[in-house]
Amino acid sequence: MTNYKTIIFLILSIVIFSCNSEVKQKSKLVEQKNNETSDTEPTYELEEKVKYRDTIQINYLKNKKLLNILTLLPESTMDSWEWSKKDRERTVEFIEKNNFIIDSTQMYNNIKYIKPNTIGIQVVDGFWTLSIYEFNENDYFVVTNDIVGDGNDIQTFNFKNGKLTPTKMVNWFSEFDNKLLLNKSTDCIELLEENQLTYNYNFNDKNKILISSWLLNESENKNCLIGNSIKYELNKEKRTFDIADIYWKKDKSE
């Protein structure tokens, strides 16, 4: 009887030892795998803890007029991305108190530049600008451009004595492309129509507007066009933008 109990005890001991060894071995393999993973690629949890933050310095007094107009714009000027009036007011109030904002969204509403007459904002895969041109004290021409994959959504306004009023772009530069024509044949007119989406609008200069096509070029289009770029200058006395130059722009740096 004693021998029988001894044999049973030995068998149980062997089974328990084997199980413990297997558990320890599996635990060691899991630990080793985790160490290898942490050495080669960071976990998703670690990536989530690292948030994007960018402090953007903005001098409120220097840009006061532009920022004031920003709060008054209708939301239709930013249809592709939507920035509510209330959020814009909060942003400008924060800038007024601190002379900076903290951007926590790297690919959305990221202010790329700001100067007294224009602000440029990166919005996901597009770009948005607000620019102002001074006719007289408290009297400004305002233009917004919502730039997306299918072209430019340009809206114009008059800002006078604190009141923002929509105006028609046709009164300013909407038919600029006809000024580029050297030859008014059907083919040349169709060439302009086919390239409507290739125009860039530059409103960065407080006295000038530059419109140019990145696709039209002199070597291929000189029989139809005088140039691929047109420059307007602000005429404060007449409250207009007059054509200053039409020429062939060879690259984006010009």
Side-chain angles (χ1 to χ4, degrees):
M1 188 72 175
T2 304
N3 288 339
Y4 178 73
K5 288 182 177 180
T6 303
I7 291 169
I8 291 175
F9 176 78
L10 287 172
I11 291 171
L12 288 172
S13 297
I14 292 169
V15 170
I16 292 170
F17 177 80
S18 298
C19 289
N20 286 339
S21 296
E22 187 176 353
V23 169
K24 287 180 180 179
Q25 188 174 4
K26 285 183 178 179
S27 178
K28 188 174 181 181
L29 287 171
V30 170
E31 185 179 354
Q32 184 179 356
K33 187 174 181 180
N34 287 339
N35 288 336
E36 288 175 357
T37 302
S38 64
D39 288 340
T40 55
E41 52 186 42
T43 63
Y44 183 71
E45 288 182 359
L46 286 176
E47 286 179 350
E48 274 201 328
K49 289 178 183 177
V50 180
K51 292 185 177 180
Y52 175 83
R53 289 174 71 84
D54 184 20
T55 301
I56 302 169
Q57 303 294 332
I58 299 175
N59 186 313
Y60 174 77
L61 291 178
K62 189 176 179 181
N63 300 283
K64 183 177 180 180
K65 185 65 65 177
L66 183 72
L67 293 169
N68 181 25
I69 292 173
L70 177 64
T71 66
L72 300 175
L73 289 171
E75 292 181 24
S76 61
T77 60
M78 45 195 80
D79 271 348
S80 73
W81 56 295
E82 299 178 357
W83 191 9
S84 71
K85 189 175 188 297
K86 186 176 289 186
D87 283 346
R88 279 177 272 147
E89 288 172 347
R90 283 201 212 101
T91 299
V92 172
E93 285 172 6
F94 186 88
I95 294 171
E96 183 178 4
K97 292 177 183 176
N98 303 284
N99 284 311
F100 71 86
I101 59 171
I102 298 175
D103 178 26
S104 59
T105 49
Q106 187 171 11
M107 293 299 292
Y108 182 79
N109 197 356
N110 189 350
I111 296 177
K112 287 296 185 181
Y113 58 81
I114 183 167
K115 40 183 126 173
N117 84 298
T118 189
I119 181 172
I121 300 176
Q122 183 74 47
V123 187
V124 191
D125 57 349
F127 205 80
W128 185 88
T129 62
L130 159 66
S131 303
I132 59 176
Y133 295 84
E134 185 177 16
F135 290 135
N136 292 299
E137 188 176 357
N138 296 320
D139 187 2
Y140 294 84
F141 171 73
V142 177
V143 56
T144 63
N145 188 9
D146 195 5
I147 309 163
V148 291
D150 58 352
N152 301 272
D153 178 18
I154 295 176
Q155 298 188 39
T156 58
F157 304 84
N158 179 240
F159 181 70
K160 188 172 184 179
N161 297 324
K163 184 179 179 181
L164 191 69
T165 307
T167 64
K168 293 182 179 180
M169 198 179 77
V170 68
N171 297 335
W172 308 100
F173 44 80
S174 63
E175 297 180 355
F176 70 90
D177 48 354
N178 290 328
K179 311 293 184 183
L180 303 178
L181 282 171
L182 173 67
N183 183 337
K184 296 188 178 181
S185 67
T186 301
D187 288 343
C188 291
I189 292 173
E190 287 180 355
L191 173 69
L192 288 180
E193 292 174 351
E194 291 168 0
N195 283 275
Q196 285 294 319
L197 299 182
T198 70
Y199 290 106
N200 292 321
Y201 295 77
N202 188 327
F203 303 107
N204 288 345
D205 191 297
K206 66 179 182 178
N207 293 310
K208 296 175 184 176
I209 291 173
L210 175 62
I211 308 172
S212 58
S213 169
W214 50 264
L215 191 60
L216 298 172
N217 61 78
E218 187 173 10
S219 61
E220 295 179 6
N221 309 122
K222 63 183 178 182
N223 292 328
C224 276
L225 307 175
I226 304 170
N228 64 357
S229 303
I230 183 166
K231 184 186 292 183
Y232 290 90
E233 285 192 359
L234 175 64
N235 187 325
K236 292 187 177 185
E237 185 178 342
K238 294 181 180 180
R239 296 172 54 86
T240 59
F241 287 92
D242 300 335
I243 296 174
D245 195 10
I246 298 175
Y247 63 98
W248 290 104
K249 183 181 178 185
K250 294 181 171 55
D251 58 61
K252 291 183 179 180
S253 63
E254 290 184 76

